[in-house]
Amino acid sequence: MSATAVRETVETASHPMTTGDIPDVIGLLRAAPQTAYCEWEDDRLLGQHLAQASDICRVMRDTAGRVVAAVIAGSFGVRGTISHAVVAPEHRRSQLARKLVADTLSAFRERGVRRVFLFVHDDNEAAVRLWSASGFSPTAGESTLERDL
């Protein structure tokens, strides 16, 4: 299928994520190792998160209703974070990620969020290009530390 045909099979607008989207989103994340998905990010946890953040967690669906791209995000006060962004392999390079990013940033603005951060694997050049083109830049003088609980 050509890139044009693929694009025509996807709705042009993103939508707030619903609990019904979670299985498709988890499937996309599991199939994309560059997203650093953790198995503890299960249906229950994501469902709880959506109760607070469905407006900033966004999906795009194909015309059959299957989720083909998603962003999982959250906020605390005036700061936001994007935890995961994923596009199904057959829909990559079709501007879906850029649309999702723009819609997610708009939803953050509507919440009053003034700064958004995210993490990208050092070797994920496509993600660095996407986020840089969306106005993100590396943080100077900070290190990322994390711990699973």
Side-chain angles (χ1 to χ4, degrees):
M1 183 179 293
S2 73
T4 302
V6 167
R7 273 185 275 231
E8 292 172 359
T9 64
V10 176
E11 296 176 353
T12 57
S14 72
H15 304 279
M17 189 181 298
T18 68
T19 55
D21 295 324
I22 292 173
D24 283 345
V25 171
I26 288 175
L28 286 174
L29 293 169
R30 282 184 173 145
Q34 69 275 17
T35 64
Y37 171 73
C38 299
E39 287 299 323
W40 48 260
E41 296 174 287
D42 60 13
D43 296 39
R44 182 191 57 78
L45 183 67
L46 291 178
Q48 289 173 342
H49 179 65
L50 287 181
Q52 305 164 22
S54 65
D55 59 322
I56 54 178
C57 294
R58 313 285 303 177
V59 296
M60 294 186 85
R61 296 181 183 92
D62 63 16
T63 53
R66 184 179 67 98
V67 174
V68 296
V71 168
I72 298 175
S75 70
F76 182 76
V78 296
R79 294 195 73 144
T81 182
I82 296 175
S83 302
H84 297 298
V86 63
V87 176
E90 67 272 20
H91 294 284
R92 292 187 184 144
R93 298 192 178 279
S94 62
Q95 305 301 312
L96 295 184
R98 289 180 192 267
K99 174 65 174 157
L100 275 172
V101 170
D103 290 352
T104 301
L105 295 178
S106 178
F108 273 130
R109 280 187 207 95
E110 288 177 25
R111 278 188 167 214
V113 169
R114 296 295 169 245
R115 177 165 292 196
V116 177
F117 65 96
L118 53 90
F119 306 98
V120 177
H121 284 273
D122 291 338
D123 62 351
N124 191 341
E125 294 174 13
V128 171
R129 283 191 306 273
L130 166 69
W131 297 115
S132 295
S134 300
F136 287 79
S137 59
T139 304
E142 293 183 11
S143 296
T144 301
L145 307 172
E146 69 177 17
R147 176 183 168 186
D148 288 343
L149 299 177

PDB file of all heavy atoms in Angstrom, residues 44-59:
ATOM      1  N   ARG A  44      -5.253  -1.485  33.958  1.00  0.00           N
ATOM      2  CA  ARG A  44      -5.732  -0.856  35.195  1.00  0.00           C
ATOM      3  C   ARG A  44      -5.047   0.482  35.426  1.00  0.00           C
ATOM      4  O   ARG A  44      -5.699   1.499  35.656  1.00  0.00           O
ATOM      5  CB  ARG A  44      -5.509  -1.785  36.387  1.00  0.00           C
ATOM      6  CG  ARG A  44      -6.018  -1.239  37.718  1.00  0.00           C
ATOM      7  CD  ARG A  44      -5.537  -2.076  38.907  1.00  0.00           C
ATOM      8  NE  ARG A  44      -4.085  -2.178  38.982  1.00  0.00           N
ATOM      9  CZ  ARG A  44      -3.277  -1.210  39.440  1.00  0.00           C
ATOM     10  NH1 ARG A  44      -3.774  -0.079  39.855  1.00  0.00           N
ATOM     11  NH2 ARG A  44      -1.976  -1.390  39.472  1.00  0.00           N
ATOM     12  N   LEU A  45      -3.733   0.503  35.344  1.00  0.00           N
ATOM     13  CA  LEU A  45      -2.977   1.725  35.592  1.00  0.00           C
ATOM     14  C   LEU A  45      -3.316   2.803  34.558  1.00  0.00           C
ATOM     15  O   LEU A  45      -3.550   3.965  34.904  1.00  0.00           O
ATOM     16  CB  LEU A  45      -1.481   1.433  35.582  1.00  0.00           C
ATOM     17  CG  LEU A  45      -0.575   2.618  35.902  1.00  0.00           C
ATOM     18  CD1 LEU A  45      -0.761   3.041  37.356  1.00  0.00           C
ATOM     19  CD2 LEU A  45       0.868   2.253  35.646  1.00  0.00           C
ATOM     20  N   LEU A  46      -3.349   2.426  33.290  1.00  0.00           N
ATOM     21  CA  LEU A  46      -3.675   3.410  32.264  1.00  0.00           C
ATOM     22  C   LEU A  46      -5.115   3.892  32.380  1.00  0.00           C
ATOM     23  O   LEU A  46      -5.400   5.072  32.153  1.00  0.00           O
ATOM     24  CB  LEU A  46      -3.392   2.851  30.874  1.00  0.00           C
ATOM     25  CG  LEU A  46      -1.906   2.641  30.554  1.00  0.00           C
ATOM     26  CD1 LEU A  46      -1.730   2.045  29.171  1.00  0.00           C
ATOM     27  CD2 LEU A  46      -1.120   3.923  30.692  1.00  0.00           C
ATOM     28  N   GLY A  47      -6.016   3.020  32.778  1.00  0.00           N
ATOM     29  CA  GLY A  47      -7.402   3.440  33.008  1.00  0.00           C
ATOM     30  C   GLY A  47      -7.499   4.465  34.124  1.00  0.00           C
ATOM     31  O   GLY A  47      -8.229   5.459  34.012  1.00  0.00           O
ATOM     32  N   GLN A  48      -6.768   4.241  35.200  1.00  0.00           N
ATOM     33  CA  GLN A  48      -6.740   5.215  36.294  1.00  0.00           C
ATOM     34  C   GLN A  48      -6.161   6.545  35.820  1.00  0.00           C
ATOM     35  O   GLN A  48      -6.651   7.614  36.183  1.00  0.00           O
ATOM     36  CB  GLN A  48      -5.916   4.678  37.470  1.00  0.00           C
ATOM     37  CG  GLN A  48      -6.582   3.555  38.210  1.00  0.00           C
ATOM     38  CD  GLN A  48      -5.662   2.940  39.262  1.00  0.00           C
ATOM     39  OE1 GLN A  48      -4.451   3.111  39.242  1.00  0.00           O
ATOM     40  NE2 GLN A  48      -6.259   2.203  40.188  1.00  0.00           N
ATOM     41  N   HIS A  49      -5.119   6.467  35.028  1.00  0.00           N
ATOM     42  CA  HIS A  49      -4.501   7.692  34.514  1.00  0.00           C
ATOM     43  C   HIS A  49      -5.475   8.458  33.629  1.00  0.00           C
ATOM     44  O   HIS A  49      -5.574   9.695  33.721  1.00  0.00           O
ATOM     45  CB  HIS A  49      -3.213   7.357  33.758  1.00  0.00           C
ATOM     46  CG  HIS A  49      -2.544   8.558  33.190  1.00  0.00           C
ATOM     47  ND1 HIS A  49      -2.006   9.550  33.983  1.00  0.00           N
ATOM     48  CD2 HIS A  49      -2.355   8.949  31.903  1.00  0.00           C
ATOM     49  CE1 HIS A  49      -1.500  10.501  33.208  1.00  0.00           C
ATOM     50  NE2 HIS A  49      -1.700  10.152  31.944  1.00  0.00           N
ATOM     51  N   LEU A  50      -6.209   7.764  32.780  1.00  0.00           N
ATOM     52  CA  LEU A  50      -7.149   8.434  31.885  1.00  0.00           C
ATOM     53  C   LEU A  50      -8.249   9.168  32.640  1.00  0.00           C
ATOM     54  O   LEU A  50      -8.794  10.150  32.132  1.00  0.00           O
ATOM     55  CB  LEU A  50      -7.771   7.446  30.905  1.00  0.00           C
ATOM     56  CG  LEU A  50      -6.866   6.958  29.790  1.00  0.00           C
ATOM     57  CD1 LEU A  50      -7.632   6.009  28.878  1.00  0.00           C
ATOM     58  CD2 LEU A  50      -6.285   8.107  29.002  1.00  0.00           C
ATOM     59  N   ALA A  51      -8.578   8.715  33.843  1.00  0.00           N
ATOM     60  CA  ALA A  51      -9.593   9.408  34.637  1.00  0.00           C
ATOM     61  C   ALA A  51      -9.180  10.857  34.898  1.00  0.00           C
ATOM     62  O   ALA A  51     -10.036  11.718  35.115  1.00  0.00           O
ATOM     63  CB  ALA A  51      -9.835   8.671  35.951  1.00  0.00           C
ATOM     64  N   GLN A  52      -7.876  11.131  34.855  1.00  0.00           N
ATOM     65  CA  GLN A  52      -7.366  12.482  35.109  1.00  0.00           C
ATOM     66  C   GLN A  52      -6.813  13.154  33.853  1.00  0.00           C
ATOM     67  O   GLN A  52      -6.619  14.372  33.853  1.00  0.00           O
ATOM     68  CB  GLN A  52      -6.229  12.426  36.127  1.00  0.00           C
ATOM     69  CG  GLN A  52      -6.563  11.749  37.413  1.00  0.00           C
ATOM     70  CD  GLN A  52      -5.285  11.405  38.169  1.00  0.00           C
ATOM     71  OE1 GLN A  52      -4.244  11.995  37.954  1.00  0.00           O
ATOM     72  NE2 GLN A  52      -5.378  10.435  39.049  1.00  0.00           N
ATOM     73  N   ALA A  53      -6.528  12.390  32.827  1.00  0.00           N
ATOM     74  CA  ALA A  53      -5.755  12.953  31.721  1.00  0.00           C
ATOM     75  C   ALA A  53      -6.251  12.558  30.334  1.00  0.00           C
ATOM     76  O   ALA A  53      -5.480  12.623  29.378  1.00  0.00           O
ATOM     77  CB  ALA A  53      -4.288  12.541  31.879  1.00  0.00           C
ATOM     78  N   SER A  54      -7.506  12.189  30.190  1.00  0.00           N
ATOM     79  CA  SER A  54      -7.957  11.731  28.870  1.00  0.00           C
ATOM     80  C   SER A  54      -7.881  12.839  27.818  1.00  0.00           C
ATOM     81  O   SER A  54      -7.705  12.550  26.637  1.00  0.00           O
ATOM     82  CB  SER A  54      -9.376  11.170  28.945  1.00  0.00           C
ATOM     83  OG  SER A  54     -10.289  12.188  29.288  1.00  0.00           O
ATOM     84  N   ASP A  55      -7.960  14.097  28.226  1.00  0.00           N
ATOM     85  CA  ASP A  55      -7.885  15.190  27.259  1.00  0.00           C
ATOM     86  C   ASP A  55      -6.494  15.357  26.668  1.00  0.00           C
ATOM     87  O   ASP A  55      -6.352  15.752  25.502  1.00  0.00           O
ATOM     88  CB  ASP A  55      -8.339  16.503  27.896  1.00  0.00           C
ATOM     89  CG  ASP A  55      -7.507  16.901  29.115  1.00  0.00           C
ATOM     90  OD1 ASP A  55      -7.119  16.008  29.895  1.00  0.00           O
ATOM     91  OD2 ASP A  55      -7.260  18.107  29.293  1.00  0.00           O
ATOM     92  N   ILE A  56      -5.450  15.050  27.439  1.00  0.00           N
ATOM     93  CA  ILE A  56      -4.091  15.207  26.938  1.00  0.00           C
ATOM     94  C   ILE A  56      -3.484  13.899  26.449  1.00  0.00           C
ATOM     95  O   ILE A  56      -2.424  13.907  25.822  1.00  0.00           O
ATOM     96  CB  ILE A  56      -3.166  15.897  27.968  1.00  0.00           C
ATOM     97  CG1 ILE A  56      -3.193  15.193  29.306  1.00  0.00           C
ATOM     98  CG2 ILE A  56      -3.502  17.374  28.083  1.00  0.00           C
ATOM     99  CD1 ILE A  56      -2.266  15.781  30.343  1.00  0.00           C
ATOM    100  N   CYS A  57      -4.144  12.786  26.705  1.00  0.00           N
ATOM    101  CA  CYS A  57      -3.773  11.497  26.101  1.00  0.00           C
ATOM    102  C   CYS A  57      -4.594  11.393  24.826  1.00  0.00           C
ATOM    103  O   CYS A  57      -5.823  11.446  24.863  1.00  0.00           O
ATOM    104  CB  CYS A  57      -4.080  10.337  27.041  1.00  0.00           C
ATOM    105  SG  CYS A  57      -3.081  10.324  28.539  1.00  0.00           S
ATOM    106  N   ARG A  58      -3.936  11.284  23.697  1.00  0.00           N
ATOM    107  CA  ARG A  58      -4.624  11.397  22.412  1.00  0.00           C
ATOM    108  C   ARG A  58      -4.403  10.147  21.566  1.00  0.00           C
ATOM    109  O   ARG A  58      -3.384   9.471  21.700  1.00  0.00           O
ATOM    110  CB  ARG A  58      -4.094  12.595  21.627  1.00  0.00           C
ATOM    111  CG  ARG A  58      -3.958  13.893  22.384  1.00  0.00           C
ATOM    112  CD  ARG A  58      -5.224  14.606  22.670  1.00  0.00           C
ATOM    113  NE  ARG A  58      -5.974  14.907  21.467  1.00  0.00           N
ATOM    114  CZ  ARG A  58      -7.165  15.499  21.506  1.00  0.00           C
ATOM    115  NH1 ARG A  58      -7.707  15.839  22.657  1.00  0.00           N
ATOM    116  NH2 ARG A  58      -7.829  15.748  20.398  1.00  0.00           N
ATOM    117  N   VAL A  59      -5.356   9.862  20.686  1.00  0.00           N
ATOM    118  CA  VAL A  59      -5.225   8.763  19.730  1.00  0.00           C
ATOM    119  C   VAL A  59      -5.669   9.226  18.353  1.00  0.00           C
ATOM    120  O   VAL A  59      -6.432  10.178  18.224  1.00  0.00           O
ATOM    121  CB  VAL A  59      -6.053   7.512  20.130  1.00  0.00           C
ATOM    122  CG1 VAL A  59      -5.557   6.917  21.434  1.00  0.00           C
ATOM    123  CG2 VAL A  59      -7.539   7.823  20.190  1.00  0.00           C
TER     124      VAL A  59
END
